[in-house]
Amino acid sequence: MSLILCFNSDELLIKDVITPGSELLQTMAVGLNREDVPGIKNWRHLACKLKVPSDVLQEFSGESTAKRSPTKEVIQWLCGRFPDTTLIDLVQALEKIQRNDAIQIITKHFPDAVGE
């Protein structure tokens, strides 16, 4: 199944729609934080597709962040570093790592964001 991305010209910015503490971010993080499922790509793969540098990636997986969500860290870093990143950018990265479950979470909150 291939997804077709359909956005209006007013693309939503991640920093405006995936805010700290939001249900959308919480729900996505639950699935993407899991590293114990063989063959399923996680937050690390997403970070690579979003071009997060390896040294920053190391910070998100260090012992000092054991109680924090690496997915949330990636999204917050992305929003701070590249505030013009759009929801479509995130959806495209999720599509590249074959995380349709996370794309479905986004479409639940933004039904017009992705069409089949």
Side-chain angles (χ1 to χ4, degrees), residues 50-101:
L50 293 170
K51 301 191 182 339
V52 175
S54 58
D55 59 325
V56 174
L57 198 61
Q58 291 288 43
E59 291 175 26
F60 299 153
S61 62
E63 300 223 355
S64 64
T65 60
K67 295 187 183 206
R68 292 188 287 183
S69 164
T71 300
K72 292 176 186 178
E73 297 287 324
V74 167
I75 298 296
Q76 289 173 354
W77 179 87
L78 194 64
C79 290
R81 183 80 169 178
F82 301 103
D84 293 336
T85 303
T86 63
L87 194 57
I88 196 170
D89 296 328
L90 179 60
V91 169
Q92 289 173 335
L94 289 166
E95 190 171 38
K96 288 177 184 172
I97 65 168
Q98 301 174 346
R99 287 304 300 262
N100 291 336
D101 59 324

Side-chain angles (χ1 to χ4, degrees), residues 14-33 43 46 50 69-79 87 90 94 102 105-106 109-110:
I14 289 177
K15 68 180 178 121
D16 296 333
V17 295
I18 304 181
T19 56
S22 69
E23 180 185 346
L24 176 56
L25 182 55
Q26 299 284 91
T27 309
M28 284 181 48
V30 168
L32 290 170
N33 285 346
W43 68 271
L46 177 63
L50 293 170
S69 164
T71 300
K72 292 176 186 178
E73 297 287 324
V74 167
I75 298 296
Q76 289 173 354
W77 179 87
L78 194 64
C79 290
L87 194 57
L90 179 60
L94 289 166
I105 291 166
I106 292 171
H109 292 271
F110 299 96

Side-chain angles (χ1 to χ4, degrees), residues 28-40:
M28 284 181 48
V30 168
L32 290 170
N33 285 346
R34 295 196 61 190
E35 297 185 58
D36 59 344
V37 183
I40 302 294

